[in-house]
Structures are given as structure tokens and as C-alpha cells.
Amino acid sequence: MSFLAVASIVPSLVLGAAPTTLTGTATYRERIALVPESELRVYLDEVIGKRTTTLSEIVLKLNGKQVPIDFAVPYILKSSKTQAKYHVRAEIWSEGSLRFETRDSVPVISNGKRSVNLILTRSAAQPLKLEGPTWQLLELDGKKWSSEGRVPNLEFRSNGEMGGNTGVNGFGGNYTLDGSWIQIDPGPQTMMAGSEDQMRIEREFLEILQRANKFQITQGQLELLRGQKVLGRFIAMQR
């Protein structure tokens, strides 16, 4: 799997035990290409009675790789109970949205299977909401983000509070909604200094937040508008 970057591996470990590996492939039947930034997430779950816990999981950065995708999930069996069952499931995320998923988890390990081929189907996930994701800047006043350093971002909370980072300074604030109408009031921020270009971007970023009076979310992206003019475009980064 040299073409893939392993973003994270989270096995449940037992001190002194060596991990075993569950291998397989993930694919889907639709003739749809994945964007380069897509991720494959594979979960190995342990089921004991009505209780299900994730024993191990991996996240693979695909870097342009298309299906079928090979994966290997390291795991260590924590339970010695014979009634424990194990299932594997997978998801493909693109541009902050769930695109494909296994409809049902597939039994493994306890039935002797340690290699499996997973067929994913298009997700029927609910549309993204304003509250929840971290919204990372893609475009500022019609210009694609291309500067070095930390990318500005926003977060909206369900209690009317918001916050984020300008690329230099963190800040808080409040917002109000009325349908698709929005008013954002950035509040106190830290007082770090950046380069001349970074401070210019910070000023422009905070200015569009104050000028925005509408928002819309389409295809995993948030647009802040003034009337019909798009002031800023953001992509959802799932946490």
C-alpha cells in the first residue's frame, strides 16, 4: 500500500501482546471517480450481546488512488469470551462528506475469516449543518487560498457562539440565524503577530465575516454571501 498515506491507526492494545492483521479490499460498483483528498476509513467492531465497541480502525489518505483499495487493520483480541463476535465496516469520505459506506457490517475473525472484500454503496447521509464541522477556508473574496501557514477556519456552535482562527490568531464571537440569513459578530482574539501578508489576510477574513448576511451549504461546502455575492467559501473538515 505504498501509494496510500496512513493518517491514523487506532487499535485496542493489550500490553505485551502482538497485533494480528485483518486484510481486505474496499470497492463500489458505481462509475464515479474519487477526488484526490478522499479517505478510506475501516472499522473492526467487537460485539458481545447488545454491546458493540470499535476494536481497531484505520484511516487511509488515498492521494488519488481509485477503487479497489487494499487495506490492513491491525488488531488484538481483548476479550476471551467465546460469545464475542467481530464485524468489519468501511466508509469513504470526500470533501468533508460521507460518500460511500457498507450498508451492513461483515462478520470476520470469529467465523474464521481474516480477509474480506467489502462492497460499498452510495451514502444516504443527511446534509451537513452549519453547526458541528470545522469549516476550513477555500476561497476568500473570489481568490483561492494559496498562502503558506495555517489555513483560516470557522466553527459554529448550537448555542449561538462561534469561533475560529484567522491563520494567525484565534478568536471567539457570536452569530444569529433566521433561515438562510446570518449575522456574525467576531469577538475577542489573541494578539499574535504575523507577516504583512498574514495580517492583511486576517483583516480581510474578519471583514467578510462581518459583511456576510446569508449562507448556503452545497456539496460539503459553506458559502458566506452578501446578497448574491460570495464572500468566502469553506470546506467541512469532520472532527
Side-chain angles (χ1 to χ4, degrees):
M1 294 188 294
S2 59
F3 48 80
L4 301 177
V6 181
S8 62
I9 300 178
V10 188
S12 294
L13 299 178
V14 176
L15 188 63
T20 309
T21 302
L22 174 73
T23 61
T25 60
T27 190
Y28 52 81
R29 296 189 175 95
E30 290 85 350
R31 297 173 62 86
I32 300 174
L34 296 170
V35 298
E37 296 79 12
S38 299
E39 296 178 352
L40 171 67
R41 305 178 185 182
V42 185
Y43 306 89
L44 177 61
D45 296 330
E46 181 182 71
V47 182
I48 301 177
K50 295 182 179 180
R51 181 175 62 87
T52 300
T53 57
T54 298
L55 186 68
S56 182
E57 64 182 87
I58 61 168
V59 179
L60 300 178
K61 301 285 189 181
L62 301 186
N63 298 325
K65 169 66 179 176
Q66 302 296 319
V67 296
I69 303 160
D70 297 327
F71 63 82
V73 183
Y75 67 92
I76 295 172
L77 301 185
K78 296 172 64 179
S79 176
S80 60
K81 298 179 180 179
T82 57
Q83 69 266 35
K85 305 295 182 183
Y86 301 91
H87 298 82
V88 65
R89 54 191 171 89
E91 302 170 344
I92 293 177
W93 287 74
S94 299
E95 299 178 327
S97 295
L98 177 62
R99 304 298 187 185
F100 297 89
E101 61 183 336
T102 45
R103 292 300 187 196
D104 299 297
S105 55
V106 178
V108 291
I109 302 174
S110 46
N111 60 1
K113 277 191 174 183
R114 286 179 170 78
S115 183
V116 64
N117 297 319
L118 301 178
I119 305 296
L120 285 67
T121 56
R122 294 189 72 174
S123 172
Q126 295 298 313
L128 282 170
K129 295 182 178 180
L130 183 67
E131 302 90 347
T134 296
W135 297 100
Q136 183 171 284
L137 182 67
L138 286 177
E139 294 181 12
L140 181 63
D141 202 17
K143 299 176 183 178
K144 290 188 176 180
W145 173 261
S146 59
S147 299
E148 296 181 357
R150 183 169 182 176
V151 183
N153 62 68
L154 292 172
E155 291 182 13
F156 297 90
R157 305 178 187 93
S158 58
N159 62 357
E161 296 179 353
M162 57 82 62
N165 194 285
T166 66
V168 179
N169 288 292
F171 66 93
N174 299 281
Y175 72 100
T176 55
L177 295 179
D178 184 3
S180 63
W181 294 92
I182 188 169
Q183 179 179 341
I184 302 174
D185 297 307
Q189 64 185 73
T190 57
M191 301 298 290
M192 302 293 291
S195 67
E196 182 178 342
D197 187 55
Q198 288 174 320
M199 301 311 292
R200 175 185 58 80
I201 292 171
E202 177 177 271
R203 290 191 298 271
E204 293 178 359
F205 182 68
L206 293 173
E207 182 182 347
I208 70 163
L209 299 186
Q210 294 172 316
R211 290 176 57 203
N213 60 9
K214 289 179 64 179
F215 79 97
Q216 60 186 19
I217 300 173
T218 57
Q219 298 183 341
Q221 294 185 9
L222 165 68
E223 293 180 345
L224 295 179
L225 306 95
R226 178 80 180 183
Q228 299 301 313
K229 178 179 172 59
V230 177
L231 303 177
R233 184 172 284 113
F234 303 78
I235 189 169
M237 309 300 291
Q238 299 293 331
R239 291 173 291 176

